[in-house]
Amino acid sequence: MEGSTPVAESPHAEYGLTENIQRIVENEKAHHEKMAKQKLDLQTLQTLPTRAYLDQTVVPILLQGLSVLAKERPPQPIEFLAAFLLKNKSQFEDRN
């Protein structure tokens, strides 16, 4: 259209700031959605029966830890299991 004024590009576009800002906004939105889901999941976990709660939270890592413990048979089994749980908890936290 001849009579319309062209839309000016963002003055920051030449520095790539527009894309970076968009990426940051998307990352923040995804983070907030994840946090909201985790909050909902925590509420759900609180309402589960005891067995289901344990099955979803600690049984998987405990079974793996006990399996390794049984194979290695360390002289300090409780300390070994505690160290195993702390070392490997990040693998299981995302599953909850």
Side-chain angles (χ1 to χ4, degrees):
M1 292 186 261
E2 289 182 31
S4 65
T5 57
V7 176
E9 245 186 79
S10 168
H12 305 294
E14 68 183 87
Y15 301 109
L17 293 179
T18 304
E19 292 174 12
N20 289 340
I21 291 171
Q22 185 177 2
R23 209 172 304 127
I24 290 169
V25 169
E26 289 171 3
N27 288 341
E28 285 296 315
K29 183 178 177 183
H31 174 73
H32 286 288
E33 288 173 356
K34 181 178 178 184
M35 295 304 289
K37 183 179 184 289
Q38 284 179 344
K39 186 175 180 180
L40 178 62
D41 289 344
L42 288 175
Q43 291 172 347
T44 303
L45 283 176
Q46 295 298 319
T47 61
L48 290 174
T50 302
R51 176 66 186 255
Y53 169 76
L54 293 173
D55 285 344
Q56 289 188 15
T57 56
V58 296
V59 169
I61 192 171
L62 279 175
L63 289 176
Q64 185 178 7
L66 292 172
S67 176
V68 173
L69 180 73
K71 290 176 186 172
E72 295 192 19
R73 298 188 181 238
Q76 302 292 325
I78 294 173
E79 287 82 3
F80 179 90
L81 183 58
F84 178 90
L85 294 173
L86 291 172
K87 179 181 175 187
N88 295 287
K89 71 178 186 172
S90 62
Q91 296 174 19
F92 294 88
E93 286 177 333
D94 295 336
R95 297 180 187 180
N96 294 340

